[in-house]
Amino acid sequence: MRSEVLRMERVSCQEQGVIELDDFNLNILSGEIMGLLPINNHGLTALLRLLQYNTPLRYGYVNYREEQVNTWRDSKQRHNRIGLIQSESCLVEGLTVSDNIFVLRPEFHTWLLRPSALRKQLLPFLESIGVHLSADTHVDELTGFEKVVVDVLKSVVAGCKLTLLRDISANLGEAELKKIHRLLKYYADQGFSFLYIDFHLKELKQVCDRVALMSDGRIVKILQSDEITEEFFKNYTGAFQAGQRADLSTENRRSAVLEAVGLTGILVNNLSFAVAPGECVVLQSADIQVFEELLAILSGELAPQRGEIRVDGRAVPLRIGGDIAMIQELPTETMLFREMSYLDNLCFLVDRRLPEVWRDKRVRNGIKYEYEALLGSDVFDKRVDALSEIQKYELVYTRVAIQKPKAVFCVQPFRRADMELRVHIYGLIKRLLERGIAVVILVVNLEDSLSLADRLVRIQKD
């Protein structure tokens, strides 16, 4: 019988007057890969912080490695030896692989560093998992896959019997993700445990022994491996399931409004695709380096060696603006101006179509009046920081729609979105398509975007 590495009983915690976790119960066995699927994001950040740092509890108990580390009576707030791996790597980029794995450990007290000794210590770990990686490579030279491998090794070497994995598939191709799953199973067989947090049931089913459903800061259901089915999931989550778009038949497909002809860079080679008004084309690159170069080319940050973008048959400069818009990855963090009002954010870049928007207050008031029914009258009086995540996404996508571009590039639109938000984003993209705007979605991981796609273009290196 396996021992427990973690037990949380009736845990409740509160942050800034908001109850983040409410009667939260979870146990993880030694050598188990436990999945966690949040129906929404409420309480997720608080959970990760609680597991690592033993933040104060309103009620409940937390046991880690069969020792009570946190209670509602007494919270010492000492750190637990629990690893955390996220899509944004926590590795220090100015240091080498061996420095990150060995030197940054709290237990490392050697004053004189001997790189040869560190290489020798790392070699058995790399050989055991079949990964060829130089200990002297700097982190900024690693691929996304190699960074996750180093993060896992760092956690194992540090003696973390439990490692938290959050959204690690965002920058990994399908083949790379399978390799990471094999790596996790290898270390699970060695007695290490993992809490695998993701919003995709299919991905969790591939690697997890059990999956816990989390909603509004509590565990509402735990599924055994044989219960993890799409049918159960649809029945349980109901309204959070997005539907499949109807196919755009060949007869109804109009001539292309946007064409990429022979785009070529260092890694991107002779890429061509076309998209019609109201059509959604998904570009999936399984290689993150190819994805990043393609994104740089399409956004105008990197000039292609050959090729061009055409709008309505004429070549246009490779820059975003006018007939082409781009909704960036994590747009609520990268496309909103917190020092500006909601209305000014909404009207940003509309001056390309309505030059008088900043000179004539009546034009802005007209936009406000036109979109109050869609956005709600109360949001115009709120600061951007006070908006909910759904309201922020509504603001970004409506701003793009007001610009009336002929085509929009959406970069990983479902990144970090919980299930409720994903369905809302799905509806926002459908709204663009219904307006006759061509949509090109750029992704690494295909989940969610496929339900919107009229066509899928899969890109590999060369």
Side-chain angles (χ1 to χ4, degrees), residues 197-216:
I197 305 167
D198 203 274
F199 296 106
H200 302 109
L201 186 69
K202 181 180 177 182
E203 183 176 328
L204 294 174
K205 184 177 180 179
Q206 291 172 354
V207 68
C208 297
D209 304 301
R210 295 183 294 155
V211 173
L213 302 184
M214 176 180 172
S215 178
D216 295 327

Side-chain angles (χ1 to χ4, degrees), residues 16 64 101 110 168 217 270 277 286 293 300 315 340 353 355 381 391 423:
Q16 298 180 346
Y64 178 56
I101 292 176
T110 303
I168 62 169
N270 196 32
E293 184 184 73
M340 294 169 56
R353 188 170 62 85
D381 297 323
Q391 289 172 328
V423 172

Side-chain angles (χ1 to χ4, degrees), residues 135-411:
D136 298 323
T137 303
H138 283 80
V139 169
D140 53 330
E141 299 172 4
L142 300 177
T143 65
F145 165 73
E146 290 170 337
K147 287 181 179 179
V148 176
V149 171
V150 173
D151 267 322
V152 172
L153 289 177
K154 180 180 176 182
S155 186
V156 167
V157 170
C160 298
K161 288 299 182 179
L162 175 63
T163 299
L164 315 174
L165 307 163
R166 183 181 185 183
D167 196 26
I168 62 169
S169 63
N171 296 321
L172 298 177
E174 294 173 9
E176 293 174 332
L177 188 59
K178 289 180 180 178
K179 291 179 182 178
I180 294 298
H181 288 173
R182 287 197 294 269
L183 178 64
L184 298 182
K185 289 178 179 178
Y186 170 79
Y187 280 117
D189 290 340
Q190 308 300 313
F192 293 90
S193 302
F194 300 91
L195 180 62
Y196 196 111
I197 305 167
D198 203 274
F199 296 106
H200 302 109
L201 186 69
K202 181 180 177 182
E203 183 176 328
L204 294 174
K205 184 177 180 179
Q206 291 172 354
V207 68
C208 297
D209 304 301
R210 295 183 294 155
V211 173
L213 302 184
M214 176 180 172
S215 178
D216 295 327
R218 66 167 59 188
I219 298 297
V220 295
K221 183 71 175 178
I222 293 181
L223 306 177
Q224 302 296 328
S225 57
D226 58 347
E227 297 177 312
I228 305 173
T229 63
E230 291 286 348
E231 191 60 35
F232 175 88
F233 189 62
K234 288 178 182 178
N235 293 338
Y236 202 88
T237 57
F240 297 117
Q241 296 301 310
Q244 187 85 13
R245 286 189 72 226
D247 290 335
L248 192 67
S249 65
T250 305
E251 294 76 13
N252 293 333
R253 184 174 292 135
R254 290 170 283 173
S255 59
V257 66
L258 181 141
E259 295 175 274
V261 182
L263 292 179
T264 301
I266 299 172
L267 299 173
V268 176
N269 183 18
N270 196 32
L271 173 65
S272 298
F273 63 88
V275 57
E279 183 185 20
C280 179
V281 171
V282 173
L283 300 183
Q284 183 203 16
S285 174
D287 188 302
I288 188 63
Q289 293 177 311
V290 174
F291 175 84
E292 290 174 349
E293 184 184 73
L294 176 61
L295 177 58
I297 291 174
L298 294 178
S299 64
E301 296 178 8
L302 178 66
Q305 296 175 359
R306 295 190 306 277
E308 62 185 12
I309 290 285
R310 298 174 185 169
V311 174
D312 290 335
R314 56 183 177 82
V316 298
L318 283 167
R319 64 170 182 265
I320 301 302
D323 289 336
I324 303 176
M326 178 171 283
I327 299 177
Q328 301 171 11
E329 189 173 347
L330 304 176
T332 60
E333 299 178 12
T334 57
M335 294 183 65
L336 295 179
F337 302 92
R338 282 160 176 76
E339 67 278 6
M340 294 169 56
S341 69
Y342 186 99
L343 184 57
D344 286 348
N345 268 280
L346 187 63
C347 296
F348 184 70
L349 296 181
V350 177
D351 53 354
R352 295 177 178 177
R353 188 170 62 85
L354 298 171
E356 68 277 12
V357 68
W358 302 116
R359 299 193 303 268
D360 192 340
K361 189 175 181 180
R362 291 174 299 176
V363 176
R364 295 199 300 281
N365 287 337
I367 293 174
K368 176 182 176 181
Y369 178 78
E370 181 180 353
Y371 285 92
E372 270 184 343
L374 178 65
L375 302 173
S377 58
D378 59 322
V379 296
F380 290 94
D381 297 323
K382 290 184 178 180
R383 295 180 295 104
V384 171
D385 287 338
L387 299 173
S388 68
E389 197 68 7
I390 285 180
Q391 289 172 328
K392 290 177 183 178
Y393 268 90
E394 191 85 46
L395 172 56
V396 169
Y397 277 80
T398 304
R399 185 175 80 190
V400 169
I402 290 175
Q403 296 170 32
K404 294 188 176 179
K406 294 185 176 180
V408 175
F409 293 118
C410 294
V411 185

Side-chain angles (χ1 to χ4, degrees), residues 123-133 145 179 183 186:
L123 186 60
F125 288 97
L126 295 174
E127 289 180 342
S128 66
I129 61 177
V131 173
H132 301 287
L133 187 63
F145 165 73
K179 291 179 182 178
L183 178 64
Y186 170 79

